[in-house]
Amino acid sequence: MNSNDLLLFCKGDIISIMLLLRAFSNFSATSRLTTNVSKSEALNKGCYLSGILVCLSYQKSGGLGVKDAEIWNIAIVGKLVHWIYTKADRLWVQWVDHIYLKGSDWSVYDPSPDSNWNWRNIYKTRNRLAAGFVNNCWVADPKDYSVGSGYVWIQGAYPPVSWYAEVWDSWCIPKHAFIAWLVYQEALNTREKLYHLGLCDSESCVLCEAGKETHSHLFGGYPYSNQILGQIEHWLQLKFNQAGRHISQLHHHICRMAKLVCWYSIWMERNKCRLNLQLTIPARIVKDVKRLIHARVNKLIVQPVTSSDQLWFQCLDILM
Ligand SMILES: [Zn+2]
């Protein structure tokens, strides 16, 4: 911990996390103080989001990058286990050997029943990680034991998801990424879902009343969303689905970020419409989306860009 570290706590439900993120983003906008993403960490202690969101550690596997505090603690204690296995040159290891082990083999050692809680905890962690240590060496990572590798080993492997790069692109705005992440997990409270839970009297879409309000309806196949997505693609002269096409890194960033801006705007519009029963015309949403994308690109574009990219960006300016 440093004096400028900031700890934020909230309940583990989605609404509380969203409120916390919103309050923090307001604070950042007002104070101009922001977080260093590479040094930030989210911990999940006994929180429940939903079945699919429980294993949250791996963003590549569809998680939120939130660490399970219990497993993380075991992995940290695993470092001590590792020191004893490898007879690390540390005073603490010598002390442990003198007081507890008394020269016995750590891999088969059993503590006496009256030994203290801390020592028994280290012993329990040794048992938990025992299969990972072969001939006193940590086999899960050729570079030796680290808290990170211990954590991954305990939690197990999960297959990657295809949308990982899209949602967690560095250009995407965090609140947009969070909504897109919920879209891909089909975890937004759509009317279809609320209807089946008995929390809503109809499952039809609030925006068009022409179909069930599902994730695929809202973000894929219905005219209101298609108009917004189509017009933004046309403006950018890019296709959001770039599978199999060779485009520059810059265009990759922009495609991902722009699609998420659209999705976020559609979801916000849906919420607004649900509350006040008024629908904003797509052209108005498109205008706001363009402004946001333009400002974001302007902020993040790094020099020197290629001359064709420069020309393209000037073109967006004219078409805004
Ligand atoms: Zn609809």
Side-chain angles (χ1 to χ4, degrees), residues 204-213 217-218 222-224:
S204 65
C205 170
V206 286
L207 294 172
C208 67
E209 299 276 337
K212 278 188 196 176
E213 195 190 84
H217 174 82
L218 278 174
Y222 111 98
Y224 190 87

Side-chain angles (χ1 to χ4, degrees), residues 181-195:
W181 177 72
L182 291 173
V183 172
Y184 279 118
Q185 310 271 9
E186 301 206 341
L188 289 170
N189 286 330
T190 57
R191 280 181 106 191
E192 187 226 14
K193 220 183 245 189
L194 296 174
Y195 178 75

Side-chain angles (χ1 to χ4, degrees), residues 11-305:
K11 277 190 181 175
D13 58 90
I14 289 173
I15 292 171
S16 303
I17 294 171
M18 283 299 286
L19 288 172
L20 184 81
L21 289 174
R22 192 179 301 163
F24 189 68
S25 92
N26 285 345
F27 168 79
S28 291
T30 319
S31 65
R32 297 189 176 267
L33 292 169
T34 55
T35 49
N36 182 337
V37 177
S38 65
K39 290 183 181 173
S40 300
E41 200 160 18
L43 291 167
N44 146 38
K45 174 60 186 167
C47 85
Y48 177 81
L49 292 175
S50 88
I52 44 168
L53 312 181
V54 171
C55 298
L56 296 168
S57 305
Y58 309 117
Q59 288 186 320
K60 276 188 182 170
S61 306
L64 197 54
V66 177
K67 286 202 168 59
D68 183 313
E70 200 174 327
I71 298 180
W72 189 250
N73 279 338
I74 296 170
I76 290 171
V77 178
K79 192 79 193 164
L80 302 178
V81 172
H82 172 249
W83 281 351
I84 305 174
Y85 263 122
T86 53
K87 294 188 178 11
D89 186 18
R90 286 172 184 271
L91 191 60
W92 180 81
V93 176
Q94 289 172 27
W95 177 81
V96 158
D97 190 55
H98 182 71
I99 301 293
Y100 295 112
L101 293 174
K102 299 185 167 68
S104 52
D105 183 356
W106 172 228
S107 59
V108 291
Y109 166 85
D110 281 318
S112 67
D114 59 345
S115 43
N116 73 40
W117 178 88
N118 264 332
W119 178 240
R120 293 192 68 79
N121 189 34
I122 294 170
Y123 163 73
K124 273 189 212 158
T125 306
R126 182 209 72 185
N127 290 346
R128 181 94 188 253
L129 298 174
F133 285 100
V134 176
N135 297 330
N136 298 346
C137 288
W138 179 244
V139 290
D141 188 341
K143 282 188 253 152
D144 218 351
Y145 186 88
S146 64
V147 176
S149 78
Y151 182 88
V152 170
W153 187 85
I154 296 167
Q155 205 172 52
Y158 291 84
V161 292
S162 58
W163 44 264
Y164 154 76
E166 186 183 309
V167 171
W168 303 116
D169 190 283
S170 59
W171 279 40
C172 294
I173 296 165
K175 66 181 180 183
H176 299 171
F178 184 66
I179 292 296
W181 177 72
L182 291 173
V183 172
Y184 279 118
Q185 310 271 9
E186 301 206 341
L188 289 170
N189 286 330
T190 57
R191 280 181 106 191
E192 187 226 14
K193 220 183 245 189
L194 296 174
Y195 178 75
H196 286 289
L197 290 168
L199 298 170
C200 186
D201 54 5
S202 162
E203 57 184 336
S204 65
C205 170
V206 286
L207 294 172
C208 67
E209 299 276 337
K212 278 188 196 176
E213 195 190 84
T214 60
H215 287 81
S216 55
H217 174 82
L218 278 174
F219 303 101
Y222 111 98
Y224 190 87
S225 320
N226 283 348
Q227 266 191 57
I228 295 170
L229 289 160
Q231 286 184 35
I232 295 299
E233 279 185 330
H234 181 74
W235 172 61
L236 291 171
Q237 305 151 57
L238 294 167
K239 287 276 173 210
F240 290 148
N241 182 10
Q242 296 289 353
R245 293 184 61 189
H246 293 288
I247 55 169
S248 70
Q249 196 58 30
L250 174 75
H251 287 180
H252 262 305
H253 283 309
I254 290 165
C255 274
R256 290 165 181 164
M257 183 260 292
K259 183 175 162 186
L260 266 52
V261 175
C262 292
W263 278 12
Y264 179 84
S265 306
I266 291 164
W267 182 245
M268 288 301 122
E269 186 54 30
R270 174 267 182 202
N271 291 341
K272 233 165 65 190
C273 189
R274 197 170 169 227
L275 286 174
N276 59 22
L277 302 174
Q278 276 183 340
L279 183 62
T280 312
I281 55 164
R284 187 115 170 244
I285 305 269
V286 166
K287 206 174 158 192
D288 291 343
V289 167
K290 279 182 182 175
R291 200 176 302 136
L292 214 161
I293 294 170
H294 192 269
R296 185 83 178 155
V297 174
N298 211 5
K299 187 178 166 194
L300 293 177
I301 206 161
V302 280
Q303 303 297 337
V305 290

